[in-house]
Amino acid sequence: MTRYIRRAAALSLFLLAALFVNAVRVQVLQADGLNGSPANRRPAIARYDEPRGDIVVDGRAVTGSKDTGEQLRYERIYLDGPLYAPVTGYSSQTYGTTLLEHAEDGVLSGTDPALAPLPFWNEFTRSERPGGRVLTTIRRSAQEAAYQGLAGRRGAVAAIEPATGRILALVSSPSYDPGLLSGNSPAVTEAWRRLNGSASHPMLNRAIRQTYPPGSTFKIVTAAAALEARVVTDPDAPTDTADPFVIPGTRTTLPNPVPGCHRASLVYAIKWSCNTVMANLGVKVGLEGMLATAGRFGFNDDSLRIPSGVAVSNVDRRMSVDQLALSSIGQFDTTATPLQMAMVAAAVANGGELAHPYLVDRTTTWDGDTVRETPRRSYRRAMFPATAHELRRMMVEAAERGTGTRALIAGVTVGGKTGTAQHGVGNTGTPYAWFIAWAQERDAPRPAVAVAVVVEDPEAAGGEISGGGDAAPIARAVMVEALKPVPRR
């Protein structure tokens, strides 16, 4: 009998050891795979078991959470969803997260270790922390002015505080309501299909994820390159540019939007947007010099985050001389996001030093304790202060007596540059209307705002007038709001 008892005990110990080994295999070795398995709903249930933290604009939450009573309990809601969609993105139980909802997901979902009272607290206690809050740099009034100015037309606006890099407005139009995608019902699937199938692409964030030919607004970069390379030493002196001007290496003459560009000075060329002068100067600077200057403004940088990722603004690294001439006036393959062109205006406004743009002022716990605060960082020295001084003077001349008069604000110094950008097969499409600008109160030590506006379907037909007629009034409205004192909260 004792022998059988020993055998039973040995078998029991073997089975116990096998169970232990299997438990280790499942709970340790396969834990990550099982947690990430689409068949495992526990992480999703846990994720939506608590309200998500809020994204805040000017002290007011623009997001919230709704208790559905379902297994995935809390569903995201958005206040003024279309207005802030290019900032918040969406948080969907079906399609995941985008933009700030994605970049700050750890804080908003409560899983960021920085929200815990002690290091490794969450790992030891397995407790759920309330979602934190994300306080943005957006000025509500400037955001509304940009959104209302576009009025549903395809386009985008980006506005920056030049000295700090704080993003004051980020608008893409037409927009959409992120709340339509929050849940997991058939209605969400239908909304996803409809939005993605729309010809107007409302889910495309045109402010930071779409690049356009910058047209004549890029002439500010070319002017900076010409001054830095000493190709131009006196901006008021005549250049040696003939009109008509034959693009080097071709038999094609380059047209100008206005008369008077023959041997025009750099100041006149910026004021009235002479294509011939700027193309000639770009060729004289050379490809290496143009690339270096554009790079200091942020072109060709694939690492820019605000904290959401930003599409790369492009200047080709290999070009023939005729392509370089066209690139120098913002055509050929040169493309830029509206945020990038706002950065160009901001660098000029800030004396040549470009602050790193950012969208999150700080993150906090649910009850207001600061978790992280975004510091002011220098992005790059785009140009020497003397160069920036000359470009400021030229942009003021262009705004006050040139193509940008519709951006002027009484009692405020405004510098601007209009632009149109050809597109479509054979450049047959209606040109995109651009305007970049900055504004400074007469008694202020520095400009308060730099802005870029692009309108894809301008009402004015062709010519520089579309930049001044369609985009400049929107920029003006945004700058007016950005110049107002920050409301107390």
Side-chain angles (χ1 to χ4, degrees), residues 73-257:
R73 182 174 175 183
Y74 284 97
E75 187 177 295
R76 194 60 147 168
I77 60 174
Y78 295 87
L79 311 177
D80 295 322
L83 175 63
Y84 294 110
V87 176
T88 63
Y90 59 76
S91 175
S92 171
Q93 294 176 353
T94 306
Y95 299 108
T97 55
T98 58
L99 302 177
L100 276 190
E101 292 277 27
H102 179 76
E104 297 293 348
D105 183 66
V107 170
L108 295 168
S109 65
T111 59
D112 192 319
L115 296 173
L118 296 170
F120 307 110
W121 178 267
N122 291 346
E123 287 77 1
F124 283 122
T125 64
R126 298 291 180 181
S127 61
E128 296 290 334
R129 301 290 303 172
R133 290 160 63 89
V134 174
L135 281 62
T136 70
T137 59
I138 295 293
R139 288 280 298 273
R140 179 181 180 85
S141 61
Q143 186 82 358
E144 289 176 340
Y147 187 77
Q148 292 166 7
L150 286 169
R153 290 180 292 171
R154 290 190 298 272
V157 178
I160 300 173
E161 187 176 72
T164 64
R166 294 167 59 90
I167 297 175
L168 306 178
L170 202 66
V171 169
S172 178
S173 177
S175 190
Y176 73 104
D177 184 359
L180 296 174
L181 306 176
S182 293
N184 53 57
S185 67
V188 170
T189 305
E190 173 57 25
W192 177 266
R193 184 199 63 77
R194 186 179 70 255
L195 290 169
N196 280 282
S198 172
S200 62
H201 304 295
M203 294 179 67
L204 172 63
N205 190 336
R206 291 171 164 87
I208 63 172
R209 297 283 173 84
Q210 177 68 27
T211 60
Y212 302 88
S216 294
T217 59
F218 189 78
K219 292 172 183 175
I220 297 299
V221 177
T222 302
L227 290 167
E228 297 278 285
R230 306 293 290 171
V231 168
V232 173
T233 55
D234 182 357
D236 295 293
T239 62
D240 62 355
T241 309
D243 185 14
F245 173 79
V246 179
I247 299 174
T250 75
R251 297 180 179 179
T252 303
T253 58
L254 195 61
N256 283 308

Side-chain angles (χ1 to χ4, degrees), residues 364-402:
T364 73
T365 59
W366 67 274
D367 55 353
D369 292 336
T370 296
V371 175
R372 297 186 189 91
E373 191 165 0
T374 305
R376 190 263 187 214
R377 291 185 293 151
S378 179
Y379 177 68
R380 284 171 189 168
R381 167 61 68 178
M383 67 197 107
F384 291 116
T387 302
H389 175 77
E390 291 293 351
L391 288 175
R392 279 172 56 110
R393 179 169 71 92
M394 293 180 219
M395 291 181 74
V396 169
E397 183 76 10
E400 292 184 352
R401 285 174 283 277

